[in-house]
Amino acid sequence: MIKFINMDFNGSQWWVEYLENNEYKKNYYDDEESAKTFYVSLIN
Amino acid sequence: MAISVNYNLTALPLALKKGNFYLGVGDVGKGPTSGTSYYHGITPVAGGYTLYVGQNGTNQPKIYTASSDAQLITLTNTLFSQNFTTIAQCNAFYIDKTDRMVLNNEPGAIVTDRLTLCLMPHNTLSHNQTTDGKWYDLAQGLVFDYYGIMTPLTTLGVAKGFQFNNSGFWRCSSNSTLVDLGGDCTVVLWIYGTQGGSRRTIFEKMGTVYQSYEQELAMTWEVGSGLSYYSRYSPTYDYGGTEATVSSAWTMISIKMSTGKTSSPRTGFRSKNGNAWVQDYTSRSNVALITAGAIQIGTGYSGTCYSGGIGTVLCYSKMLSDNEILQVYNATKTYYGL
């Protein structure tokens, strides 16, 4: 099971935090669109 | 039931206020009795107004009624020697006065114990119903200014609210510490519609050292229209969630949290439309939070809202009980068509 937690821009990259199998993970992206695409895949 | 009204130059607890008027709308102890010195008000007629004018030396204001915009214009011109021709001029005339107020809707019998913020866009005590850029808090007198292109005050579904437009938002930069969301607290948001497809922050206290979601509180409207809410920083931020808002309708979304000012875990709960609280919060921090800055509505770290709208906003410096959140819902739901 994957649960979205949060996303933001850290000054150089966009990150998306999520919980997968009780483990917190962060994906990093160079552009906002890629982060949003991943976010939407998690939230839907 | 009509509200009870007291015109007083000194502060009174457990009441909403506008200038020197105190409205005993909530807790029953402020009803009109010889002990409270409150007086019976008059329920404004549909589409009409009640005008209260303070009298020095008495707690009982003079009360007038107007059944239409035209009557209020005439009444205002007669009483105060004005030459107004529009209702907008009248509302603008009353909004910042301390010794007179015009009421178009009763605020409703909300819980007022430890109420720290009370914003009602549809109410002439809180907003002048025109394009004015001030939104007045009826709990402590905080003033919100708009930024960007004004979120229009418009009828959304059955009730007036500020319609999000991807530009305008509201911010209170002065005295925002009076709305403490770092201790025990409750936040109530009447939200219109659904989120629109891209996550945006709908309510937050701005970060001063860290991001907003790492200090007192940030609430973000997610795709799917549930809200996420966040608080505290170290070793990492806490998070929780709410149920979704409803398409083309108003939804009362509430959260409450225990204090985050100690090393103990913060707890959080959600409620939709006055239903009993459900715990929904994951604490990952064991360090006391840092006090946050300005209050923002309709914008924040994840961008400015562009879909739906915002109505009544309430904050409390305590965790409301199941009965209290139901009281708030019952006192406000009729206006929002529920």
Side-chain angles (χ1 to χ4, degrees):
Chain A
M1 179 184 173
I2 300 178
K3 176 183 172 60
F4 168 76
I5 305 298
N6 198 4
M7 66 179 287
D8 198 8
F9 184 66
N10 65 12
S12 58
Q13 284 187 303
W14 287 88
W15 55 260
V16 178
E17 183 175 19
Y18 58 102
L19 181 66
E20 183 175 24
N21 298 325
N22 293 318
E23 181 182 355
Y24 289 104
K25 298 179 179 179
K26 265 186 180 178
N27 285 3
Y28 292 87
Y29 300 90
D30 292 330
D31 63 280
E32 184 177 7
E33 284 309 308
S34 298
K36 283 183 176 178
T37 299
F38 182 61
Y39 157 72
V40 171
S41 74
L42 295 179
I43 206 98
N44 283 331
Chain B
M1 179 184 297
I3 59 169
S4 52
V5 179
N6 187 324
Y7 181 74
N8 205 318
L9 301 181
T10 57
L12 295 172
L14 296 178
L16 301 182
K17 67 176 181 177
K18 177 68 180 66
N20 296 327
F21 294 91
Y22 292 84
L23 313 175
V25 298
D27 306 87
V28 293
K30 284 298 176 187
T33 70
S34 58
T36 63
S37 73
Y38 276 71
Y39 292 82
H40 285 294
I42 295 175
T43 302
V45 297
Y49 304 88
T50 305
L51 173 63
Y52 296 86
V53 180
Q55 302 182 86
N56 289 334
T58 174
N59 293 332
Q60 183 175 22
K62 290 181 178 176
I63 305 175
Y64 305 85
T65 60
S67 61
S68 65
D69 290 357
Q71 281 196 6
L72 182 65
I73 293 168
T74 301
L75 181 63
T76 302
N77 289 341
T78 302
L79 290 177
F80 302 108
S81 302
Q82 300 296 316
N83 294 298
F84 298 138
T85 57
T86 67
I87 192 63
Q89 291 172 318
C90 283
N91 284 327
F93 174 71
Y94 289 114
I95 190 68
D96 60 353
K97 298 294 188 297
T98 58
D99 64 343
R100 66 203 72 162
M101 67 172 185
V102 64
L103 186 59
N104 62 336
N105 283 286
E106 289 189 16
I110 61 171
V111 174
T112 52
D113 181 36
R114 300 192 194 180
L115 179 67
T116 56
L117 184 70
C118 177
L119 299 166
M120 295 181 166
H122 59 282
N123 193 286
T124 48
L125 303 183
S126 185
H127 188 266
N128 76 353
Q129 308 298 292
T130 66
T131 56
D132 185 69
K134 304 286 186 186
W135 193 6
Y136 295 90
D137 155 47
L138 302 178
Q140 303 191 90
L142 275 61
V143 181
F144 283 69
D145 296 299
Y146 85 93
Y147 292 79
I149 299 171
M150 167 69 77
T151 54
L153 180 68
T154 187
T155 300
L156 302 167
V158 297
K160 279 186 176 179
F162 291 116
Q163 186 172 30
F164 294 133
N165 59 4
N166 206 27
S167 173
F169 62 89
W170 297 89
R171 178 186 293 161
C172 172
S173 300
S174 299
N175 297 318
S176 60
T177 53
L178 296 176
V179 182
D180 180 7
L181 302 177
D184 287 1
C185 64
T186 300
V187 177
V188 178
L189 305 176
W190 273 100
I191 301 170
Y192 181 76
T194 46
Q195 184 270 353
S198 182
R199 79 187 303 252
R200 302 297 165 97
T201 300
I202 191 168
F203 183 92
E204 71 170 21
K205 287 190 75 174
M206 295 176 71
T208 56
V209 179
Y210 307 124
Q211 293 282 50
S212 59
Y213 57 83
E214 297 170 321
Q215 292 193 217
E216 290 189 30
L217 175 66
M219 301 176 71
T220 296
W221 209 2
E222 306 287 356
V223 170
S225 296
L227 273 65
S228 300
Y229 62 103
Y230 308 94
S231 180
R232 307 221 288 185
Y233 175 75
S234 181
T236 190
Y237 59 88
D238 305 342
Y239 65 92
T242 78
E243 295 175 86
T245 59
V246 176
S247 176
S248 302
W250 287 91
T251 311
M252 192 181 96
I253 296 291
S254 309
I255 64 152
K256 68 175 181 178
M257 291 186 289
S258 62
T259 184
K261 295 180 178 179
T262 72
S263 59
S264 298
R266 202 167 198 191
T267 58
F269 300 79
R270 60 176 161 82
S271 166
K272 178 178 179 177
N273 288 341
N275 287 322
W277 294 104
V278 175
Q279 190 155 11
D280 190 332
Y281 191 79
T282 300
S283 175
R284 303 190 293 181
S285 172
N286 56 12
V287 176
L289 61 77
I290 294 174
T291 299
I295 306 165
Q296 296 197 126
I297 298 171
T299 196
Y301 77 95
S302 65
T304 301
C305 293
Y306 64 96
S307 176
I310 189 75
T312 295
V313 176
L314 306 173
C315 293
Y316 295 85
S317 61
K318 72 173 190 175
M319 298 173 74
L320 296 190
S321 67
D322 286 349
N323 286 339
E324 287 174 320
I325 197 65
L326 181 59
Q327 178 184 335
V328 171
Y329 178 69
N330 286 335
T332 51
K333 67 178 182 179
T334 303
Y335 179 74
Y336 292 105
L338 297 173

